[in-house]
Amino acid sequence: MANELSKPFEKSALSEEDLYKMNKEKKVQITSFAFMIFLTFLAFIAVATEMVAPAFAVPFILVLAGMQFFLQMFYFMHLKDKGHEWANTFIIAGVVLSTPALIALTFLLGMTKY
Amino acid sequence: MADHVDMTKGLPSNPEKATLEGRNKFLGFWIFLSGETIMFATFFGAFLGLREGTAGGPTAEELFQLPLVFIMTMLLLTSSLTSVLAMYAMKRNNFKAMMIWMSTTVLLGLAFLGLEIYEFVEYVHHGLGYTTSAFGSSFYTLVGLHGAHVVFGLAWISTLLIRYAKSGITLTNAPKFYVASLYWHFIDVVWVFIFTVVYLMGIGGA
Amino acid sequence: MADYSAIIKEKKDKSVLMDWLTTVDHKKLGVMYLIAGTLFFLKAGLMAVFMRIQLMFPESNFLDGQTYNEFITMHGTIMLFLAATPLLFAFMNYIIPLQIGARDVAFPFVNALGFWIFFFGGLLLSVSWFFGGAPDAGWTAYVPLSAGDYGHLGMDFYVIGLQISGIGTLISAINFIVTIVNMRAPGMTMMRMPLFCWTSLVTSLLIVFAFTPLAAGLALLMLDRLFGAQFFSPDSGGNAVLWQHIFWIFGHPEVYILVLPAFGIISEVIPAFSRKRLFGYTAMVFATLIIAFLGFMVWVHHMFTVGIGPVTNSVFAIATMAIGIPTGIKIFNWLFTMWGGKLTFNTAMLCASSFVPTFVLGGVTGVMLSMVPVDYLYHDTYFVVAHFHYIIVGGIVLGLLAGLYYWYPKMFGHHLNEKLGMLMFWMFYIGFHMTFFVQHILGLIGMPRRVYTYLEGQGMDTMNLISSIGAFLMSAGIIVLVINIVYSALKSERVVVSDPWDARTLEWSTPTPIPEYNFAQVPQVRSLDPLFYEKIHGDGKMKPAEPLSDIHMPNGSILPFIIGIGMFVWGFGMIMLNMENAIITPYAVIIPGFLLTFGSMLVRSIKEDHGYHITVEELKKLEKEVS
Ligand code: HEM
Ligand SMILES: [Cu+2]
């Protein structure tokens, strides 16, 4: 039993159908990678060329970052897949609880009184 | 308690979660990452709170160069993709492909790290030392912490690559590789916010 | 794979010391947490007594101001991080796997690692006494008092000692969460879990989300002190309020980290001795979750007087008051559990039931404090000291005592003496109210906290005297407890039955003493309060969920201990960076410590260790010995 855990396998248990699904999934991943690159381009261009008004640029690139966060987490890290319910719970809790802390540290340092 | 896995059918489709040990590792690591999220949030918050505090020293706009950051971003994003591909190879029991993709990840990470070191040296030359201003301290701390994560990730993945260079994919090392790749993605996620919040907002931000 | 008899032989060959240093058994680690926590508790308690002697009379010279400052800092820090947390962890470690029907925690190795890292971190903090004095900036370590310009070497011990022990606490918390999520016995759904497991789960989550900001904050302070970073110096663009925010983002959840497991213990003890199921189980679970969530949204109530602004203060005041609602739900549920029950007032139940009114008092003063305008009056007076001691002593410590008396027979195979227990309870309880009740009034008439003396004739003399006498009475109560532990170990009858209290949950279905593997066959859970259900609907024994089969066990390891030492050495080397006349260069200490730490981790990750198996035949033999 124990040494079985350290033994490699002759073959894979994947069926044809599994393989088909997996290849499809892989294509989705590569597409999402292309999309991430695109988002990154947009963000850099928005700032570098000053095409977007500076007041609008910040929220714009933050939204882009949010989208990338989503893609990385749900596609690359598979949060969208089955069996990730608890993982989702914890990450969402982490993000939700980070928010007030981030806001406070950014704005509530007593420089401006809110 | 370690569940009995039927070995004859071949490598299960989710080898990282085939054993209880694997499932525990998987969940434990996600919890760790959620803790890291809020820890990084704290460092980001500190940076955002202090980024105006340049105390007469160099400012973000004077220092940062977008092309360099762009290249670093591309390197890290690509390394994220290669580690995804490595995990697909793992599921297909394609050991060789997994090792190649993982090694590519390490190489890309090394390149990123090299550029980061170069960047820091440049900034120091331009007068932004660690103790120059609150902006300097919080910049180096936040980006440096990310860099330290990269270093740790590289050391970790390299250890795995060397340790299991000839072993094939087993039910013991599959969870290890999987978790390491999760860690690597997380580093990338953090970088997305660093290039947005630190660099882009530093240059173009109000 | 080694077989069991060989392992047993190897174990016998190991000395007792090696056995405990290398253990990864959650029960032994629970006992180790209990011992370590108790030692730290006694140490910090002694400091409290010294402080009360100093404050017994006006303008007394028993302690000088500097020593007094070091005492308040160490008392608070140790009590929260190194006494209360490990004592709660002791019960969590010991009881959670038993209550969910598991053979061990999810990561036995990490469990041991967490203990040793916590322990050596605490030790590092404690050795500060020998290097020019303990930290002295209060447990909150506000900058600039704690930063490079003012804080002396003691603060380095604070920053790095807490950082290390915090890492231990954090990884243990992750371990608890995974254990509870992944290791439950068949049929033990989330909503059938005993409330103690629920509150432990939520506490562990809070640790994951609160100790990480603390780690960040401590890192900032360390960088400030050791490497000249400018986070907190306004001259260089830094900001002192930043530290307060980070500290309290951690600090308020921390108080719930401590009190929630105590809630859990109370929710186990009260039903057991009321002979009734817990009233409003579901409401209790959701109240716990809501408290945890709100616990993260209220930290600015510690900073009302900083001057962040009226809107912020109002928002956080309202959020703070809102916590009273779920807390109230809990209070009523405990009362309704007792209502109409067949009550047995032994020591455990006395502690548990008296927890309720004392905790209410602490909650009421908390809501008083949350009103911003009046908090300008209360803030930093003894009123606040009274508030949090009503919650920490009247809540957490009473909860711990209840848990101790309740689970003692399962953990050590004999009861604690009831007569001595009663004596302890009354001395402690009366002493507690004497000490802290008058402190409310002292605060209201203006006695500031953290000041080492006061003037005569300001109406504070009598009340301070009463408070000090109460503190002595309370300590005498603790001494009675220590006597009780020794006395009972020698004189008390052995408990041989598995269920001495006729209780309701799974831990009482295991034989006493508990075999290493807890359950020969994992039990099938059919209801909330599974053991009670079997007593009513079955034959009083848990039904097995699996046939008798080989049991997989983890191997012990010395690596956690070595990693603990490695971190201690490494941390000490870091502190040496600030020492003025260190004998050797700090790097000669830092590097070995670093190598020891990461080297051991490397060994651990390279060597695959699959543990061993207890075969069915051996299991049958062992089971016969037990029954
Ligand atoms: C209904 C629940 C509670 C409310 C509304 C409440 C409210 C408050 C407020 C407003 C303060 C700040 C007072 C000041 O410094 O002016 C405070 C301080 C404190 N509270 Fe509570 N609290 C509650 C529960 C708890 C619990 C459960 C604990 C511990 C387990 C606790 C421990 C503390 C501590 C340690 C401090 C003082 C920290 C320091 O300044 O050193 N509180 N509380
Ligand atoms: Cu609070």
Side-chain angles (χ1 to χ4, degrees):
Chain A
M1 176 68 211
N3 15 11
E4 267 170 39
L5 288 175
S6 309
K7 241 196 271 163
F9 290 77
E10 300 278 294
K11 55 179 199 266
S12 155
L14 293 177
S15 63
E16 284 296 311
E17 202 193 324
D18 290 339
L19 268 176
Y20 174 73
K21 269 198 204 134
M22 200 184 263
N23 282 335
K24 229 168 96 183
E25 167 89 21
K26 203 161 126 186
K27 271 190 206 123
V28 174
Q29 298 277 22
I30 292 173
T31 320
S32 67
F33 172 73
F35 196 53
M36 283 189 230
I37 299 282
F38 172 68
L39 293 178
T40 311
F41 258 106
L42 266 189
F44 274 86
I45 288 173
V47 173
T49 63
E50 291 173 13
M51 268 189 333
V52 199
F56 183 67
V58 172
F60 179 62
I61 58 177
L62 281 178
V63 168
L64 292 183
M67 285 163 77
Q68 278 220 44
F69 173 77
F70 182 86
L71 285 176
Q72 282 272 355
M73 283 281 173
F74 283 82
Y75 285 83
F76 276 17
M77 295 168 84
H78 298 282
L79 270 187
K80 65 175 174 35
D81 293 356
K82 262 214 307 281
H84 286 69
E85 295 76 13
W86 281 102
N88 263 301
T89 313
F90 295 127
I91 286 292
I92 291 171
V95 171
V96 168
L97 297 180
S98 300
T99 315
L102 259 173
I103 294 173
L105 295 182
T106 314
F107 296 110
L108 302 182
L109 291 180
M111 311 298 277
T112 322
K113 313 255 181 222
Y114 292 98
Chain B
M1 205 154 24
D3 353 22
H4 292 263
V5 186
D6 189 357
M7 304 287 290
T8 52
K9 280 219 197 90
L11 186 75
S13 61
N14 281 316
E16 76 278 5
K17 282 184 275 186
T19 61
L20 181 64
E21 282 76 14
R23 285 193 294 279
N24 285 346
K25 243 191 207 130
F26 169 79
L27 185 67
F29 201 76
W30 272 106
I31 300 169
F32 169 76
L33 288 184
S34 62
E36 287 254 291
T37 306
I38 192 159
M39 186 182 75
F40 268 107
T42 313
F43 282 106
F44 271 104
F47 174 80
L48 283 170
L50 301 179
R51 70 191 178 119
E52 241 102 271
T54 47
T59 64
E61 259 181 310
E62 289 163 23
L63 285 175
F64 295 159
Q65 295 157 3
L66 283 187
L68 183 68
V69 182
F70 185 75
I71 295 170
M72 286 163 75
T73 306
M74 285 303 140
L75 286 173
L76 213 55
L77 273 179
T78 315
S79 78
S80 205
L81 178 73
T82 53
S83 82
V84 167
L85 295 176
M87 287 307 105
Y88 277 109
M90 180 179 92
K91 288 184 186 195
R92 273 190 280 115
N93 197 20
N94 191 343
F95 179 66
K96 217 166 167 189
M98 179 184 89
M99 297 303 263
I100 290 173
W101 284 125
M102 268 298 186
S103 312
T104 322
T105 307
V106 171
L107 290 179
L108 289 167
L110 278 175
F112 172 87
L113 200 64
L115 287 184
E116 181 150 88
I117 293 170
Y118 164 78
E119 185 201 0
F120 280 8
V121 173
E122 271 302 281
Y123 293 167
V124 173
H125 275 306
H126 284 88
L128 186 74
Y130 188 64
T131 54
T132 308
S133 62
F135 162 69
S137 302
S138 56
F139 166 77
Y140 284 120
T141 306
L142 173 62
V143 182
L145 182 77
H146 176 267
H149 275 71
V150 172
V151 172
F152 186 80
L154 290 175
W156 181 11
I157 298 177
S158 312
T159 310
L160 288 180
L161 288 177
I162 296 167
R163 166 69 177 84
Y164 293 112
K166 295 200 178 66
S167 73
I169 296 161
T170 71
L171 293 182
T172 312
N173 65 22
K176 295 191 184 192
F177 278 109
Y178 189 84
V179 162
S181 91
L182 279 184
Y183 183 78
W184 196 257
H185 291 309
F186 187 77
I187 290 176
D188 199 27
V189 171
V190 174
W191 182 256
V192 167
F193 286 100
I194 289 187
F195 84 67
T196 306
V197 171
V198 178
Y199 293 99
L200 294 184
M201 272 168 65
I203 290 179
Chain C
M1 181 180 59
D3 74 314
Y4 185 65
S5 34
I7 298 270
I8 286 282
K9 196 175 159 306
E10 200 192 303
K11 267 212 177 123
K12 289 235 172 78
D13 292 344
K14 263 191 211 165
S15 65
V16 179
L17 182 67
M18 262 325 256
D19 185 32
W20 283 84
L21 290 184
T22 58
T23 187
V24 294
D25 180 355
H26 74 97
K27 299 181 285 298
K28 282 190 176 156
L29 284 164
V31 173
M32 281 152 75
Y33 268 118
L34 197 63
I35 295 170
T38 308
L39 290 177
F40 279 121
F41 179 84
L42 294 178
K43 178 181 168 196
L46 203 63
M47 290 179 199
V49 171
F50 283 164
M51 289 190 285
R52 273 325 312 176
I53 294 177
Q54 161 66 18
L55 291 176
M56 207 150 115
F57 303 109
E59 293 177 79
S60 122
N61 285 320
F62 180 69
L63 302 175
D64 61 29
Q66 176 60 27
T67 318
Y68 186 87
N69 287 350
E70 290 172 19
F71 274 8
I72 54 162
T73 307
M74 286 299 267
H75 168 76
T77 312
I78 294 181
M79 278 295 187
L80 291 173
F81 292 97
L82 308 175
T85 312
L87 286 172
L88 293 164
F89 270 25
F91 292 123
M92 284 158 75
N93 238 310
Y94 204 101
I95 302 298
I96 290 175
L98 299 178
Q99 279 194 337
I100 60 173
R103 294 217 169 93
D104 206 324
V105 290
F107 308 108
F109 180 88
V110 173
N111 202 9
L113 186 61
F115 171 80
W116 287 114
I117 294 181
F118 137 75
F119 179 79
F120 279 106
L123 205 62
L124 186 58
L125 179 63
S126 300
V127 297
S128 60
W129 291 110
F130 305 110
F131 294 91
D136 58 355
W139 83 285
T140 50
Y142 273 16
V143 293
L145 197 56
S146 61
D149 293 343
Y150 300 96
H152 65 94
L153 195 67
M155 286 318 296
D156 294 308
F157 283 94
Y158 172 95
V159 167
I160 293 174
L162 279 192
Q163 185 71 279
I164 294 176
S165 87
I167 293 171
T169 308
L170 181 67
I171 60 177
S172 307
I174 294 178
N175 189 11
F176 288 134
I177 302 176
V178 180
T179 306
I180 292 175
V181 171
N182 271 1
M183 310 280 285
R184 281 168 287 132
M188 176 64 81
T189 57
M190 290 305 279
M191 290 313 275
R192 283 183 187 165
M193 266 190 341
L195 215 77
F196 178 64
C197 292
W198 258 110
T199 56
S200 300
L201 172 67
V202 174
T203 279
S204 307
L205 264 174
L206 289 185
I207 290 179
V208 171
F209 295 133
F211 270 65
T212 33
L214 174 72
L218 289 173
L220 296 186
L221 192 53
M222 180 195 77
L223 293 166
D224 177 293
R225 294 187 53 82
L226 296 183
F227 303 107
Q230 304 289 352
F231 307 109
F232 308 121
S233 27
D235 289 348
S236 315
N239 188 314
V241 182
L242 182 72
W243 167 261
Q244 297 190 17
H245 270 299
I246 298 179
F247 186 85
W248 288 115
I249 285 170
F250 146 78
H252 190 83
E254 162 72 1
V255 305
Y256 283 98
I257 288 169
L258 296 174
V259 87
L260 286 179
F263 283 177
I265 296 175
I266 302 301
S267 309
E268 298 296 307
V269 175
I270 287 185
F273 297 116
S274 305
R275 327 230 107 261
K276 268 177 75 185
R277 67 178 280 179
L278 185 68
F279 186 91
Y281 171 85
T282 319
M284 286 295 235
V285 171
F286 283 99
T288 309
L289 291 170
I290 294 171
I291 291 178
F293 175 74
L294 286 178
F296 269 96
M297 306 291 155
V298 298
W299 78 87
V300 173
H301 67 214
H302 297 274
M303 304 163 64
F304 281 157
T305 55
V306 168
I308 298 174
V311 177
T312 315
N313 275 1
S314 314
V315 169
F316 280 90
I318 292 167
T320 306
M321 292 174 204
I323 293 200
I325 300 167
T327 317
I329 292 177
K330 291 198 156 239
I331 300 284
F332 282 110
N333 280 338
W334 289 317
L335 292 178
F336 288 140
T337 308
M338 284 187 267
W339 181 279
K342 237 167 61 205
L343 303 177
T344 319
F345 278 106
N346 52 21
T347 314
M349 181 62 168
L350 273 178
C351 291
S353 53
S354 56
F355 166 100
V356 179
T358 12
F359 187 80
V360 169
L361 265 168
V364 167
T365 50
V367 176
M368 289 169 74
L369 286 165
S370 68
M371 293 179 266
V372 184
V374 280
D375 185 62
Y376 272 75
L377 300 178
Y378 301 143
H379 182 69
D380 263 349
T381 69
Y382 260 80
F383 191 82
V384 176
V385 178
H387 155 69
F388 66 74
H389 280 93
Y390 261 78
I391 286 179
I392 291 175
V393 182
I396 297 159
V397 177
L398 278 180
L400 283 169
L401 288 172
L404 186 72
Y405 279 85
Y406 179 58
W407 281 312
Y408 208 83
K410 182 96 303 182
M411 295 172 78
F412 297 101
H414 60 85
H415 283 282
L416 284 174
N417 184 291
E418 272 298 312
K419 284 217 182 75
L420 285 172
M422 297 275 178
L423 182 66
M424 176 216 73
F425 170 76
W426 288 112
M427 285 167 82
F428 187 82
Y429 201 60
I430 295 170
F432 161 71
H433 282 287
M434 261 176 84
T435 314
F436 293 111
F437 192 80
V438 288
Q439 290 186 359
H440 290 114
I441 303 162
L442 277 172
L444 292 179
I445 64 175
M447 181 163 161
R449 66 189 283 212
R450 291 175 172 166
V451 175
Y452 80 106
T453 191
Y454 52 96
L455 291 177
E456 209 177 335
Q458 297 188 320
M460 297 173 182
D461 311 10
T462 326
M463 280 188 278
N464 269 306
L465 184 62
I466 296 175
S467 183
S468 293
I469 294 173
F472 301 148
L473 194 58
M474 218 174 10
S475 333
I478 295 296
I479 293 174
V480 173
L481 173 65
V482 175
I483 295 175
N484 193 353
I485 289 173
V486 178
Y487 175 85
S488 305
L490 299 173
K491 287 279 151 85
S492 191
E493 247 177 76
R494 301 296 105 179
V495 172
V496 283
V497 292
S498 58
D499 182 17
W501 303 118
D502 192 12
R504 317 170 72 83
T505 39
L506 264 186
E507 75 269 31
W508 303 105
S509 72
T510 56
T512 321
I514 310 174
E516 212 183 333
Y517 45 81
N518 295 353
F519 301 91
Q521 288 161 292
V522 172
Q524 175 71 43
V525 175
R526 298 201 284 172
S527 152
L528 182 68
D529 289 350
L531 185 61
F532 180 75
Y533 183 89
E534 299 297 335
K535 285 179 193 166
I536 301 294
H537 298 277
D539 57 359
K541 291 212 175 64
M542 294 308 298
K543 308 266 171 307
E546 51 169 22
L548 210 57
S549 51
D550 290 5
I551 293 179
H552 173 242
M553 298 294 293
N555 285 329
S557 167
I558 190 71
L559 287 176
F561 180 72
I562 296 181
I563 294 177
I565 293 183
M567 292 184 98
F568 181 93
V569 174
W570 178 11
F572 192 84
M574 298 288 280
I575 294 166
M576 284 172 73
L577 288 172
N578 255 5
M579 277 186 197
E580 262 158 33
N581 38 14
I583 313 166
I584 41 173
T585 152
Y587 292 101
V589 181
I590 295 178
I591 292 167
F594 181 88
L595 291 179
L596 202 57
T597 309
F598 282 98
S600 318
M601 288 186 192
L602 195 70
V603 171
R604 168 72 186 173
S605 96
I606 282 178
K607 226 182 87 194
E608 287 188 0
D609 180 354
H610 294 300
Y612 61 96
H613 281 82
I614 304 177
T615 61
V616 175
E617 298 85 65
E618 285 154 351
L619 194 59
K620 277 186 185 145
K621 228 168 45 203
L622 286 169
E623 282 295 291
K624 236 188 232 129
E625 278 168 35
V626 176
S627 54

